[in-house]
Amino acid sequence: MKIISVHEGVVPISSSIRNAWIDFSSMDCSIVAVVSDVMRDGEPVIGYGFNSNGRYSAGEILRRRMIPRVLDADPQALLDEAGELDPARAWDLMMTNEKPGGHGERSVAVGVMDMALFDLAAKIADKPLYRYLSDKYGDGNPDDSVFVYAAGGYYAPGKTLRNLQDEMRGFLDMGYTVVKMKIGGADLAEDLRRIEAVLEVLDGDGSRLAVDVNGRFDLDTALTYGKAIEPYSLFWYEEVGDPLDYRLNAVLSEHYSGRIATGENLFSLQDARNLIRYGGMRPDRDIIQVDPALSYGLTEYLRVQQMLARHGWSARQCIPHGGHQFSLHIAAALKLGGNESYPGEFQPTGGFADGAVVENSRVGLTETPGIGFEGKAAFYEVLRALHR
């Protein structure tokens, strides 16, 4: 097996929505196509990748460092002992001559390539990614469906409480039973009105509503909001402060008895390990949200899973950020606790296969070889244009 070429580009995923920290008016993401010399039905087998959402494209790092290192390598250096493509060996090559630390946009660039290489490896093996991963890294008996919740509830110009309620009703009509909304982009009184409006749609059941601060709060605000929302018994209180402010998270966990979720902006094994060591996370209830696409790819995410197991955490306490097909396959293969879903945002990259059906907040996997981007027509058209 040999990689013939790698094609890189950018796709816009912009919209008028905002959370407590940023708006998405100029959001985009990197996409890649890794073309191999393996032929199927007269066409080369191609692996595709993109960098999830919430972080901008990382094209400069891809073009100048990651892609050349893969293309310039001896093709044998990318293969395992059985002569099969090994994304972990490609990962080592991409990280050659890179200093430790500084995980920001570099982790995003590596994650894009790592995703494409896993897509390619599973396609060459003629298996859907979740079965390929379960056979290689799991117990060979993957979950056949995955818990998913509908993420939305953003702030937007002119959006009323009625609009927010209608959005959440739409998620319920799609088959979701758990939904998530943004808070922290208004004052506490307004956010409580927004929460209570959504709870009306959920028949008053706070256990079906998660709230997400996107890292906005200082400690005093985190505690004030926590005290105000604790009586609602919410599904979780997410990324309350800066992702690297482990003390804030630890103090919050001492005062807020409900579930805390965080980790989507931790992009390395080292940062995730520090969260477990110093962030006060409680393995009996809290949720780790590391996004495999943003955090150096699945190769690094597997190391994070091993670290969590050593610290007594169950994989079921992991529900990745991102709402995309890559993490959905990973969730099924590694038996995670679920996966985020974006039914209405971040198109064309977000969401699952076009024919995916959500029932009681669970979705099944496709049997298309690889990640299955071919079953997401609008996105597949964009990906194919990279190498046509």
Side-chain angles (χ1 to χ4, degrees):
M1 201 289 307
K2 183 178 180 180
I3 292 175
I4 302 300
S5 61
V6 177
H7 306 264
E8 171 268 336
V10 175
V11 59
I13 53 172
S14 56
S15 70
S16 61
I17 60 175
R18 67 176 178 89
N19 59 36
W21 198 260
I22 65 169
D23 67 58
F24 292 83
S25 58
S26 57
M27 186 61 62
D28 59 12
C29 75
S30 288
I31 50 176
V32 297
V34 178
V35 182
S36 77
D37 66 350
V38 179
M39 303 296 290
R40 295 272 169 81
D41 300 322
E43 296 285 341
V45 179
I46 301 170
Y48 298 111
F50 76 104
N51 68 256
S52 187
N53 61 72
R55 292 281 164 170
Y56 297 98
S57 56
E60 185 72 1
I61 301 174
L62 281 162
R63 289 188 296 270
R64 293 188 61 183
R65 284 150 52 197
M66 303 310 163
I67 292 173
R69 288 171 187 166
V70 171
L71 290 176
D72 293 345
D74 181 340
Q76 294 299 313
L78 301 176
L79 309 181
D80 62 17
E81 291 80 2
E84 298 175 348
L85 176 63
D86 185 353
R89 297 196 181 201
W91 194 98
D92 289 339
L93 289 167
M94 286 188 283
M95 290 297 290
T96 300
N97 217 31
E98 294 283 334
K99 283 186 175 183
H103 298 296
E105 305 311 306
R106 180 178 67 189
S107 70
V108 175
V110 175
V112 176
M113 286 293 292
D114 183 88
M115 184 192 297
L117 290 164
F118 270 106
D119 186 39
L120 179 59
K123 285 174 175 173
I124 292 172
D126 201 28
K127 294 180 180 181
L129 182 64
Y130 80 105
R131 295 194 184 279
Y132 173 85
L133 296 179
S134 181
D135 291 343
K136 202 169 185 68
Y137 304 107
D139 62 6
N141 184 34
D143 291 338
D144 57 9
S145 69
V146 174
F147 163 75
V148 287
Y149 67 92
Y154 288 85
Y155 301 95
K159 189 172 184 177
T160 65
L161 292 180
R162 178 65 62 84
N163 296 147
L164 177 61
Q165 289 178 317
D166 289 345
E167 178 187 7
M168 296 299 165
R169 289 190 185 97
F171 294 154
L172 301 183
D173 291 343
M174 293 176 191
Y176 296 93
T177 60
V178 177
V179 298
K180 186 172 82 176
M181 62 180 287
K182 302 298 183 180
I183 62 171
D187 61 30
L188 175 59
E190 175 62 19
D191 273 339
L192 291 178
R193 285 191 288 271
R194 295 173 66 251
I195 289 171
E196 290 176 356
V198 174
L199 289 176
E200 287 182 18
V201 176
L202 301 175
D203 299 323
D205 186 354
S207 70
R208 296 169 59 193
L209 174 63
V211 295
D212 184 359
V213 186
N214 291 106
R216 184 72 187 187
F217 292 161
D218 60 20
L219 179 57
D220 287 344
T221 308
L223 294 173
T224 298
Y225 263 74
K227 183 177 181 180
I229 67 175
E230 192 162 16
Y232 297 127
S233 299
L234 298 178
F235 191 70
W236 69 49
Y237 187 18
E238 179 176 339
E239 200 172 37
V240 182
D242 186 282
L244 296 178
D245 192 342
Y246 303 121
R247 179 181 177 275
L248 182 153
N249 205 81
V251 173
L252 177 64
S253 70
E254 294 172 355
H255 292 83
Y256 183 74
S257 64
R259 181 186 290 159
I260 293 170
T262 194
E264 72 176 69
N265 288 301
L266 299 179
F267 296 154
S268 69
L269 166 64
Q270 293 80 9
D271 287 342
R273 185 169 58 208
N274 281 338
L275 174 67
I276 299 305
R277 285 174 171 171
Y278 309 119
M281 298 294 281
R282 302 157 296 185
D284 66 318
R285 74 196 79 169
D286 293 335
I287 299 295
I288 307 297
Q289 297 176 300
V290 173
D291 184 332
L294 293 174
S295 55
Y296 288 108
L298 174 58
T299 299
E300 182 85 337
Y301 191 75
L302 289 168
R303 298 184 188 112
V304 171
Q305 287 298 307
Q306 292 165 0
M307 177 274 294
L308 290 171
R310 288 194 296 271
H311 284 81
W313 282 74
S314 165
R316 295 296 188 191
Q317 297 303 117
C318 296
I319 300 180
H321 162 268
H324 48 73
Q325 290 168 286
F326 187 50
S327 54
L328 183 69
H329 280 274
I330 293 169
L334 303 185
K335 297 185 175 180
L336 306 183
N339 192 51
E340 189 168 28
S341 176
Y342 285 104
E345 307 295 348
F346 307 116
Q347 295 304 312
T349 62
F352 313 130
D354 291 339
V357 176
V358 178
E359 293 183 357
N360 197 31
S361 261
R362 299 193 70 86
V363 66
L365 283 294
T366 66
E367 294 303 310
T368 304
I371 297 172
F373 292 129
E374 292 79 5
K376 193 169 172 55
F379 190 27
Y380 185 45
E381 183 177 344
V382 172
L383 292 170
R384 281 174 58 86
L386 276 176
H387 56 89
R388 292 293 183 182

